[in-house]
Amino acid sequence: QVQLQQSGPGLVKPSQTLSLTCAISGDSVSSNSAAWNWIRQSPSRGLEWLGRTYYRSKWRNDYAVSVRSRITINPDTSKNQFSLQLNSVTPEDTAVYYCASRFVDRGMDVWGQGTTVTVSS
Amino acid sequence: QSVLTQPPSVSAAPGQKVTISCSGSSSNIGNNYVSWYQQLPGTAPKLLIYDNNERPSGIPDRFSGSKSGTSATLGITGLQTGDEADYYCGTWDSSLSVGVFGTGTKVTVL
């Protein structure tokens, strides 16, 4: 079965870049039927979909409007994983970050364990 | 921030039924599938319903989903104390090309 394992720092300084990785087992990041998402959750913003990457003849990305100017989600086919980079973070980016597989409307059936990220100096 | 509206809380006695609504628009629920997630305290969300009304393997038939127009509904029958959790709807917004979640509903078993 598919499993997702997240890694990355839990503390990031303001104005710096938040970087997280999600390692995939049991599926391929290059699958033509999958999509790989990042979601975050905070008391003030609830569950917030951040973006996704997926392969359909070529790599494609979709990003939330709220972070579109600051976010990059990249696949890493050599390590079968995908990553999140969020630039110029502020304390408002403090949240629990999750990676998840498949589609928010068709059902995201596998989630990572979550990473609590605090933005503070 | 959420574009999908849910009631903040619902409650009922053990064995009873609750329904949770999720209200959206034609650009999201009206033209896309809806999924539902259960989140127990301190854990990641868990998929309960996909494609409006389908249950993944292992999800009991006490949980059901439906969609009509620009709204969706999650039903839980035979309420159990283990059902106390937060529940979220999710879908795609075709106008914005983004995923969207509901505001979340806390279920309390009295």
Side-chain angles (χ1 to χ4, degrees), chain A residues 11-120:
Chain A
L11 180 63
V12 182
K13 288 182 167 50
S15 79
Q16 295 193 343
T17 297
L18 181 161
S19 296
L20 297 174
T21 298
C22 185
I24 304 164
S25 58
D27 202 346
S28 169
V29 70
S30 304
S31 167
N32 273 298
S33 60
W36 308 100
N37 304 265
W38 286 100
I39 299 107
R40 68 182 178 184
Q41 185 173 31
S42 65
S44 60
R45 302 173 75 98
L47 264 182
E48 182 181 15
W49 179 88
L50 296 176
R52 67 181 182 180
T53 190
Y54 59 103
Y55 187 77
R56 299 292 186 273
S57 304
K58 66 177 183 179
W59 287 104
R60 302 167 191 266
N61 291 95
D62 294 298
Y63 297 129
V65 173
S66 61
V67 295
R68 195 163 286 171
S69 63
R70 302 191 290 132
I71 190 173
T72 303
I73 297 176
N74 280 327
D76 183 341
T77 57
S78 66
K79 295 182 179 180
N80 201 33
Q81 63 187 29
F82 61 108
S83 64
L84 166 69
Q85 285 195 311
L86 188 64
N87 303 325
S88 304
V89 297
T90 71
E92 284 212 348
D93 294 310
T94 294
V96 179
Y97 286 75
Y98 296 100
C99 58
S101 67
R102 297 195 71 245
F103 305 92
V104 66
D105 56 337
R106 306 301 303 273
M108 291 188 288
D109 55 352
V110 180
W111 293 65
Q113 78 275 24
T115 301
T116 300
V117 178
T118 302
V119 178
S120 174

